[in-house]
Amino acid sequence: MPENELDIRAIFGLLRRRTRLIVVTVIAIVTLAGLATFALTPIFTSTALVLVDPSQKNLLDPESALGSAASDSARVESEVELVRTDNVLMRVIKDLDLVSDPEFGVSLGLMGHLRAMLHLSSGELPTGDQALGEVLGKLRSAISVQRRGLTYLISVQARSESAARAAQLANSITQAYINEQLSSKISSTLASRDILQARIEQARQAIVNSEGSFDNFISENIDRIVAESGNSQIADLRNQIDTLKNARQQTIQTADIAQRSLQEENWDQLANTLASDAVRALEAQRDAVTSNLAEAASGSAAEIDLKSELDAIDARLRDAATTELTALQDSINASQNSENELRQNIRNSVISSNLPSGVLTQIYELQQNAAIARTQYETLLGRAQDLGAQADLQVADSRVVSPALVPAKPSFPNPQLILLLSTIAALGVGVGLAFLYENFIGGFSSEEQIEAVLRTRVVSSIPRQRAIKPDQRSFADLVITAPISVYSESIRRIRASIDRLVSQNTAIAGGKVIMVTSTAPSEGKTTAAVSLARSYALSGKRTLLIDCDMRKPSINVHLGLAPSEGLMGFLGGSESAAVAIDSILSLDPLSQVTVIAGARRSDAATDQLIAAASFARLIRAARQAFDVVVLDTPPIGPVVDGLYIAKDVDAILFVVRYSSTSQSDARKALANLIVSKGPQTEIVAALNQEDISRQAYNSKYGSYYNEE
């Protein structure tokens, strides 16, 4: 299968092999998530809905509301931003006194305490604008405002540790926003009215000027007008106006003096100015009471009574003076009205008179200017009055259509959602850990895993044996003592697979050479080598077993043979020592396997002996004399001897120990073997000491095996 293709079976095999790891990971993560969920502070969320009416509303003219879809949408988006403004939030902070609130108020927090402990700050709470800014930031992070789709609805959400506080915040924000909106509209209307007030004063002055210009023109040209029109009534009306004006001026002067005397309580001057008998009588009474008060004993009842009487007389004087001043003002107003009527009569008489066109043109021009000024004044005055009324009749463009209610349950944490997400995440983490363990960390647990990781063929799994029986020296004895066992069958399966692979190599001359190695020590390669050699011997093959692990020879122990130093002597001797091969051969007492055993552990480097020509000569001789040569070589990881041997063999059995051999080390060892071996050499792997119960085998193949 190409390396870039996805192997579904390998993936399912990985999941099946690491089910326990995935389940433990899921349980651990979900448990931690559950504990964290219950440890988190519940957060409640409450929502209020506000409807925005973007049309311009005028209660004085209800039919004037206009709007368009594009402008309405932009208006709603603008209102969303206005709800978030500091003005609205500051109103809420002030109304709810959030500065002193335990949740939103000023506090040091965890980082503040840490900085204080590290002496990076004073540890004092912020005050003033800094404190207000901190509260504002907390409130802003606790709310969210958004438009509901393309509708005119604005959703205002508030979050708090208290359900009631969340609803209160949402409702307070919407109310503050509406109040701010209404206040802004009123302020804008009043500002427009104030601008018009300044223009009204100008228009009023323009009326006065235009009316004055008209009257001045008539006064200055009265003689000419009378002479040319022949209307002597105009002159009489003018004289009446002058008489009324003089009388009015005198009345105004009298009223001013009387008003000033009243303010100064100068009763004599007030009585003389008003020439009122009632005021004079009251003033005389006051003088008499004042004289009696001067003669009364201090602190006596008479003094108290006189003072009370004096206060009553002063009050009556003020009332009488006020009445007289009111009468004077009415007289002034009546005189003014009479003057206006006479002036209007003069205008009508002048206009209706038979005057030259030049004079009439000037009169009409002055009259038109006065009419225009009066019209402008009336327009501005009416608009100002409308704006004043609008300021009192303003309504907000937004209204709350769904106030926030106290939530029944917290919005965070959501135990169901958190547990669901944590379960999904835990599955992902568990699968990831399983992948890492399978491919980088843990040992091998199946043939499929070895094939997936090492990319090499696995010919068999060798079951783990529980204990060596008293009459056995090695588990390899099972090939002899229990030939119809699971162990013996696994060895025969290895033998059959190697025979099939080697038979395809037509370049082999003589017997076939099989190298047995592993990644690290204690992985069972020697037991596998002895078992494989005995299996070949039992099948009738002339078999030679050579202990090439001169660093740590152990075949003699497995076979119960005496130690021999013949191999090291042969490899270290000269070419003339060829006859010495017979002297280093032994025979397995339980089978017909010929053995070249080792003697003792070598503390010297042995790779030079393996790489020497004598070892190649030994292999050539063995090929000629035997059908099968099995080489028990040192592990590839710690010793390089096997890399020199790999180039002279026909097949390599790479032994991997169940759940023990490091995957990364196995990949490195196998990569070194691939580089060192010959081009026709086949490499196969065997999973040794597979931990599968006897019951599992018996349930499937019990009728085929006979365990001893």
Side-chain angles (χ1 to χ4, degrees):
M1 179 182 215
E3 294 187 5
N4 59 350
E5 291 186 9
L6 184 63
D7 191 346
I8 302 297
R9 290 186 178 180
I11 293 176
F12 279 104
L14 181 149
L15 297 178
R16 177 179 55 80
R17 292 189 299 272
R18 297 301 170 190
T19 301
R20 179 180 299 177
L21 175 61
I22 295 174
V23 170
V24 170
T25 302
V26 170
I27 293 175
I29 293 178
V30 171
T31 301
L32 291 176
L35 294 175
T37 300
F38 289 108
L40 291 172
T41 302
I43 301 297
F44 295 87
T45 301
S46 188
T47 304
L49 289 180
V50 177
L51 177 64
V52 178
D53 184 1
S55 61
Q56 299 294 330
K57 290 178 286 297
N58 183 357
L59 297 182
L60 300 178
D61 186 9
E63 298 181 358
S64 64
L66 298 174
S68 64
S71 61
D72 290 353
S73 180
R75 171 67 186 280
V76 175
E77 294 294 341
S78 300
E79 295 299 325
V80 170
E81 297 302 322
L82 289 175
V83 178
R84 301 192 186 106
T85 57
D86 291 347
N87 289 340
V88 173
L89 299 184
M90 290 298 292
R91 280 196 178 208
V92 176
I93 292 173
K94 181 179 179 181
D95 294 341
L96 301 182
D97 192 19
L98 294 183
V99 176
S100 58
D101 185 79
E103 180 180 357
F104 295 94
V106 181
S107 61
L108 284 179
L110 179 61
M111 292 302 299
H113 286 292
L114 290 177
R115 290 175 61 86
M117 291 175 60
L118 298 175
H119 301 287
L120 298 177
S121 63
S122 62
E124 297 180 356
L125 293 175
T127 58
D129 293 341
Q130 184 179 359
L132 196 59
E134 182 175 329
V135 177
L136 184 63
K138 290 182 179 179
L139 179 59
R140 184 180 291 111
S141 63
I143 67 168
S144 59
V145 184
Q146 58 185 356
R147 182 181 181 184
R148 288 285 182 89
L150 297 178
T151 66
Y152 291 166
L153 289 175
I154 297 177
S155 171
V156 180
Q157 291 184 336
R159 296 173 293 277
S160 175
E161 298 174 3
S162 168
R165 174 64 84 180
Q168 185 183 35
L169 282 175
N171 290 326
S172 297
I173 290 171
T174 54
Q175 191 59 48
Y177 154 68
I178 292 175
N179 291 340
E180 185 71 20
Q181 185 185 78
L182 184 59
S183 176
S184 176
K185 293 183 67 176
I186 292 174
S187 299
S188 177
T189 303
L190 292 178
S192 301
R193 187 198 63 180
D194 294 340
I195 294 174
L196 289 180
Q197 289 290 354
R199 296 294 303 274
I200 287 173
E201 293 299 326
Q202 297 177 3
R204 182 183 292 113
Q205 188 61 40
I207 292 176
V208 173
N209 295 336
S210 61
E211 294 284 351
S213 298
F214 188 83
D215 293 338
N216 291 335
F217 177 81
I218 293 176
S219 298
E220 293 172 358
N221 298 275
I222 189 68
D223 296 335
R224 178 184 173 187
I225 293 172
V226 172
E228 293 182 354
S229 64
N231 190 352
S232 60
Q233 185 182 3
I234 296 176
D236 295 338
L237 293 174
R238 183 61 187 173
N239 293 332
Q240 293 178 21
I241 290 175
D242 292 339
T243 302
L244 289 174
K245 183 184 293 185
N246 293 332
R248 183 167 57 83
Q249 291 296 331
Q250 291 178 0
T251 305
I252 292 174
Q253 185 177 4
T254 300
D256 291 340
I257 295 173
Q259 184 67 36
R260 189 164 51 252
S261 300
L262 178 61
Q263 293 175 353
E264 297 174 355
E265 294 187 354
N266 189 345
W267 308 116
D268 292 336
Q269 185 178 0
L270 180 63
N272 295 328
T273 302
L274 293 177
S276 172
D277 294 337
V279 174
R280 286 194 180 95
L282 289 172
E283 197 274 333
Q285 293 178 12
R286 188 179 190 284
D287 291 341
V289 173
T290 302
S291 298
N292 294 333
L293 182 60
E295 296 175 356
S298 177
S300 62
E303 182 185 28
I304 295 174
D305 294 339
L306 290 172
K307 286 183 177 180
S308 177
E309 185 179 358
L310 183 62
D311 292 338
I313 293 173
D314 289 343
R316 289 197 296 273
L317 276 171
R318 292 190 187 92
D319 293 341
T322 301
T323 302
E324 294 291 338
L325 286 173
T326 302
L328 288 176
Q329 188 62 45
D330 292 341
S331 176
I332 293 171
N333 293 336
S335 178
Q336 181 66 50
N337 292 334
S338 298
E339 288 182 32
N340 292 336
E341 291 178 0
L342 292 173
R343 192 174 287 109
Q344 186 63 36
N345 292 333
I346 292 176
R347 294 175 182 174
N348 295 334
S349 298
V350 170
I351 293 173
S352 61
S353 300
N354 187 16
L355 295 173
S357 59
V359 176
L360 287 176
T361 300
Q362 292 180 347
I363 291 175
Y364 280 126
E365 181 179 357
L366 292 173
Q367 187 183 26
Q368 189 65 27
N369 291 336
I372 292 173
R374 190 179 298 106
T375 301
Q376 290 178 345
Y377 173 76
E378 291 174 353
T379 301
L380 292 174
L381 185 60
R383 182 56 181 162
Q385 291 175 348
D386 288 343
L387 290 174
Q390 285 184 16
D392 295 332
L393 297 175
Q394 284 293 340
V395 294
D397 294 335
S398 304
R399 69 178 187 274
V400 178
V401 294
S402 177
L405 303 178
V406 178
K409 59 182 181 179
S411 60
F412 176 86
N414 187 336
Q416 293 81 6
L417 180 60
I418 290 178
L419 291 178
L420 175 61
L421 294 179
S422 63
T423 301
I424 296 174
L427 285 173
V429 173
V431 172
L433 290 177
F435 177 81
L436 291 175
Y437 193 85
E438 284 267 334
N439 295 280
F440 299 99
I441 301 174
F444 297 94
S445 58
S446 69
E447 297 180 15
E448 294 83 0
Q449 184 184 5
I450 296 176
E451 291 181 348
V453 175
L454 300 183
R455 300 292 178 180
T456 190
R457 183 180 306 173
V458 179
V459 294
S460 181
S461 294
I462 303 174
R464 179 183 178 185
Q465 303 302 308
R466 301 302 175 184
I468 297 177
K469 296 181 179 181
D471 59 343
Q472 295 178 342
R473 290 182 177 274
S474 170
F475 290 126
D477 293 349
L478 293 173
V479 177
I480 305 297
T481 62
I484 312 300
S485 64
V486 178
Y487 181 87
S488 300
E489 190 67 28
S490 64
I491 298 299
R492 286 193 290 270
R493 186 177 293 109
I494 294 174
R495 187 192 74 197
S497 299
I498 292 176
D499 288 345
R500 184 173 62 255
L501 293 174
V502 174
S503 64
Q504 299 174 2
N505 187 358
T506 58
I508 298 177
K512 52 191 173 186
V513 180
I514 303 171
M515 171 181 169
V516 182
T517 187
S518 64
T519 302
S522 303
E523 294 187 347
K525 65 173 182 58
T526 300
T527 302
V530 174
S531 300
L532 183 62
R534 283 178 169 175
S535 180
Y536 271 112
L538 291 175
S539 67
K541 302 289 185 180
R542 292 175 299 165
T543 305
L544 174 63
L545 175 62
I546 302 176
D547 191 346
C548 297
D549 190 356
M550 289 176 284
R551 298 283 184 93
K552 191 179 178 181
S554 59
I555 284 182
N556 60 308
V557 178
H558 284 263
L559 300 180
L561 299 175
S564 172
E565 298 184 0
L567 179 60
M568 293 189 66
F570 174 82
L571 295 178
S574 61
E575 295 183 2
S576 61
V579 294
I581 293 178
D582 295 335
S583 63
I584 63 176
L585 298 178
S586 301
L587 190 64
D588 177 18
L590 296 181
S591 67
Q592 299 301 315
V593 177
T594 303
V595 182
I596 298 179
R600 58 181 175 80
R601 181 172 181 172
S602 174
D603 296 330
T606 57
D607 56 316
Q608 296 178 358
L609 300 176
I610 297 298
S614 57
F615 183 79
R617 190 170 66 252
L618 174 63
I619 297 301
R620 288 195 300 270
R623 284 182 183 273
Q624 298 300 322
F626 295 92
D627 297 323
V628 178
V629 180
V630 179
L631 305 180
D632 179 26
T633 62
I636 300 300
V639 184
V640 299
D641 294 4
L643 301 180
Y644 290 102
I645 298 174
K647 61 183 176 56
D648 297 322
V649 302
D650 303 315
I652 299 174
L653 176 62
F654 189 73
V655 178
V656 177
R657 184 173 178 176
Y658 179 85
S659 295
S660 176
T661 304
S662 170
Q663 295 184 20
S664 59
D665 292 344
R667 279 197 298 269
K668 293 178 183 178
L670 192 61
N672 291 330
L673 277 176
I674 292 173
V675 174
S676 302
K677 73 179 184 66
Q680 299 297 325
T681 302
E682 295 285 347
I683 299 179
V684 294
L687 180 60
N688 192 26
Q689 300 186 30
E690 184 179 20
D691 192 8
I692 299 179
S693 66
R694 182 174 298 179
Q695 293 180 352
Y697 272 91
N698 289 338
S699 63
K700 291 184 178 181
Y701 314 112
S703 61
Y704 287 91
Y705 299 128
N706 181 19
E707 299 290 345
E708 294 291 338

